[in-house]
């Protein structure tokens, strides 16, 4: 059996840096296809932030004149 392919995509433009991690409870390190697991819990955390300059016409402000 082949491992599933996973991906995370962020729509839109702009450079960013991202990180993610998961914590699994009541699951072995290697799960087995067809095996039933009970009371399993997966906490998944994803963080991303923009690192580039604002896009043309977008200054990141609230639109109010100072």
């Amino acid at each position: 059996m082949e491992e599933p392919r996973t991906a995370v995509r962020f729509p839109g433009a702009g450079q960013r840096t991202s990180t993610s991690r998961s914590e699994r409870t009541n699951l072995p390190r290697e799960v087995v296809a067809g095996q039933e697991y009970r009371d399993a819990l997966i906490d998944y955390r994803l963080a991303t932030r923009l690192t580039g300059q604002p896009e043309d016409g977008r200054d990141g402000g609230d639109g109010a004149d100072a």
Side-chain angles (χ1 to χ4, degrees):
M1 180 161 266
E2 185 177 324
E3 288 186 23
R5 295 181 211 171
T6 61
V8 176
R9 293 183 183 89
F10 299 98
Q15 295 178 343
R16 61 182 56 94
T17 183
S18 303
T19 185
S20 66
R21 71 179 191 144
S22 62
E23 295 177 20
R24 301 165 12 142
T25 304
N26 295 331
L27 286 173
R29 183 167 178 84
E30 297 287 328
V31 295
V32 177
Q35 174 69 43
E36 185 174 313
Y37 300 97
R38 296 180 181 264
D39 298 318
L41 176 66
I42 301 172
D43 286 318
Y44 184 78
R45 292 179 177 88
L46 171 70
T48 188
R49 68 181 173 96
L50 296 173
T51 59
Q53 297 297 317
E55 297 173 25
D56 289 342
R58 300 177 71 184
D59 63 6
D62 61 7
D65 293 328

